[in-house]
Amino acid sequence: MLKELKEILYETSTTTFFMSHDLIEINHITNSLAVVIDGKVIQNGMTKEVVNEPNVEAAPFLLNWKELYTI
């Protein structure tokens, strides 16, 4: 279903807000990412950059996630 959603968004040049705790889903469907902790955006940018180069505040969350799952 995510593949189809990504295709529809691309074909229609539509922007959408996708909220998830699942970085595998996020990595698959998004171009940009904002990391929000306690209601505060602590890092945002291109998904691959944020996931691969998290800032000091986002690092503990993202690095723990990457240890559990290969993305």
Side-chain angles (χ1 to χ4, degrees), residues 18-60:
F18 184 77
M19 186 186 323
S20 177
H21 290 98
D22 188 335
L23 285 180
I24 294 172
E25 287 181 355
I26 291 169
N27 197 46
H28 179 72
I29 199 166
T30 63
N31 295 324
S32 60
L33 171 67
V35 178
V36 179
I37 297 178
D38 294 330
K40 178 183 168 192
V41 175
I42 59 168
Q43 185 174 4
N44 64 342
M46 299 305 293
T47 301
K48 295 202 184 312
E49 291 173 11
V50 173
V51 170
N52 292 321
E53 300 173 23
N55 68 20
V56 173
E57 291 179 277

